[in-house]
Amino acid sequence: MSTLIDAPMADAAEIRSAMEYYARQEWTDGLPVVPVTESYLEEFLARTRRDPDEVLFAVPHLNRRCTVRLAAINAAMAGCLPEYFPVVLAAWDAVAKEPYPRKGIWQSTTGTAPLLLVNGPVRERIGLNSKGNVFGSGFRANATIGRAIRLTAINVFGLHPHKLDQATQGTLGKYSACIAENEEESPWEPLHVEHGLGPADSAVTAMVIRSCLHIEARHTSVPEQLALDIAGTIRRTGALIHETSSALLVLGPEHARVFGDAGWSKDDVRRGIYEHAVNTRAELAAVGKDAISRHSRWRLPNGHPDAMPDRASQGENPDRVPALVSPDALQLAVAGANNAGVSTVIETFGVRGDTPSIAPVRDLDV
């Protein structure tokens, strides 16, 4: 394979010079970005009816705002094609519904990152991957749409590492985290339909994520066993920052079929996992997480001066401590290839089990 272009349409040295200029200005995530001209920017803005000065998202404590124009510049820099831009806009609409980013959670020491999950016909239209290597490389739409959000966080909101971004270690999702749901191989209605949109609608769901953990379960076709395996990952004590946790469960098609073939609905899966995602009081005490803070409500040792009992300690069985506040704190989607018993638990930042932040994709055919 040759990496050289015999008849370049532009001077390669000038392109490299522009890329190095962007890097010196710290307008990158560490990887090279696409230089943006006014004419190229107009191709993005032509994909929407929105005013370029419309504010998509603001972070009040930083006194900074992202407009349609700024979102377009960063989408172009990230390597998006102009036809991706309506999905980027929907992603910002979904982010704006999340309560946590505007409160500074993207600056957290935990290393949180935005995850985008795309549903509907737009997946095929722009080539979003929902199957093999769905969390990995190889697909421009996934890589660049997710990257567009991260570049905007850096360039518009100033969230540079070692500066306003205070992540202790961070996550790989801070480069890009955008997947599509494999609706065709799911036994259930897709996520956006579950929450009120139509099958013909396209939509983006935004979540704040903390980490991703694989479930390797190639040994069973018994749904109860699979639910227990997943529950064991969700209840791990290292995930319990707050009193309870929340998660997005991305089931591989094989695992989804184990549940679907047994007649389990999404609610059945949620309940089965919720009922077993439980720690004993002794297990929590062993790691110093058997109480919560009066002020932050984060977990800490019972003997700490700020400690107060958690809600479970006041229930019928105080020694049984659920990791999830309710079954609704677990969202379900299907993605990945139909070739192995692999699923992923994505720990999300949100403990109430609210309806996820979903926004429709608009202006696709402008």
Side-chain angles (χ1 to χ4, degrees), residues 15 171 237 321 324:
I15 295 172
T171 69
T237 58
V321 187
L324 299 167

Side-chain angles (χ1 to χ4, degrees), residues 188-189 194-195 263-275 327-328 330-332:
W188 308 296
E189 61 185 8
E194 179 186 356
H195 292 285
W264 286 36
S265 66
K266 280 188 176 183
D267 283 340
D268 292 331
V269 176
R270 289 189 183 97
R271 282 192 296 270
I273 293 170
Y274 168 75
E275 290 170 1
D328 291 335
L330 180 65
Q331 299 295 331
L332 267 67

Side-chain angles (χ1 to χ4, degrees), residues 58-65 101-102 104 107 153 156-159 164:
V59 179
H61 72 277
L62 297 178
N63 195 27
R64 300 187 186 191
R65 305 183 300 172
R102 72 178 67 254
Q107 299 173 251
V156 176
F157 298 111
L159 302 188
L164 291 181

Side-chain angles (χ1 to χ4, degrees), residues 26-42:
E26 297 187 327
W27 294 342
T28 83
D29 52 7
L31 295 172
V33 295
V34 176
V36 182
T37 62
E38 284 291 341
S39 61
Y40 191 42
L41 176 60
E42 286 302 318

Side-chain angles (χ1 to χ4, degrees), residues 26-107:
E26 297 187 327
W27 294 342
T28 83
D29 52 7
L31 295 172
V33 295
V34 176
V36 182
T37 62
E38 284 291 341
S39 61
Y40 191 42
L41 176 60
E42 286 302 318
E43 294 184 41
F44 283 77
L45 296 177
R47 294 284 172 162
T48 178
R49 297 184 179 92
R50 302 193 196 193
D51 188 313
D53 292 327
E54 177 188 335
V55 175
L56 297 171
F57 185 68
V59 179
H61 72 277
L62 297 178
N63 195 27
R64 300 187 186 191
R65 305 183 300 172
C66 174
T67 63
V68 170
R69 178 183 175 84
L70 290 172
I73 291 171
N74 283 277
M77 289 171 60
C80 289
L81 293 174
E83 51 262 41
Y84 303 172
F85 191 49
V87 179
V88 174
L89 289 174
W92 280 113
D93 289 340
V95 166
K97 295 180 180 181
E98 274 270 356
Y100 304 106
R102 72 178 67 254
K103 295 178 180 178
I105 194 59
W106 286 357
Q107 299 173 251

Side-chain angles (χ1 to χ4, degrees), residues 245-363:
S245 62
S246 61
L248 166 67
L249 173 60
V250 181
L251 290 167
E254 286 199 7
H255 285 167
R257 193 166 59 247
V258 167
F259 291 122
D261 287 351
W264 286 36
S265 66
K266 280 188 176 183
D267 283 340
D268 292 331
V269 176
R270 289 189 183 97
R271 282 192 296 270
I273 293 170
Y274 168 75
E275 290 170 1
H276 294 97
V278 174
N279 288 293
T280 66
R281 184 69 55 186
E283 287 171 326
L284 292 176
V287 296
K289 291 185 174 181
D290 51 326
I292 58 172
S293 163
R294 285 184 173 83
H295 296 97
S296 69
R297 301 196 72 82
W298 286 27
R299 286 206 166 270
L300 42 66
N302 186 46
H304 192 281
D306 187 39
M308 63 176 285
D310 58 25
R311 281 173 292 187
S313 67
Q314 303 166 38
E316 294 182 3
N317 188 350
D319 291 328
R320 185 178 185 276
V321 187
L324 299 167
V325 68
S326 72
D328 291 335
L330 180 65
Q331 299 295 331
L332 267 67
V334 176
N338 190 24
N339 61 3
V342 177
S343 293
T344 301
V345 169
I346 300 177
E347 294 168 349
T348 57
F349 196 95
V351 298
R352 298 188 304 273
D354 293 342
T355 299
S357 300
I358 301 177
V361 177
R362 300 185 286 165
D363 305 328

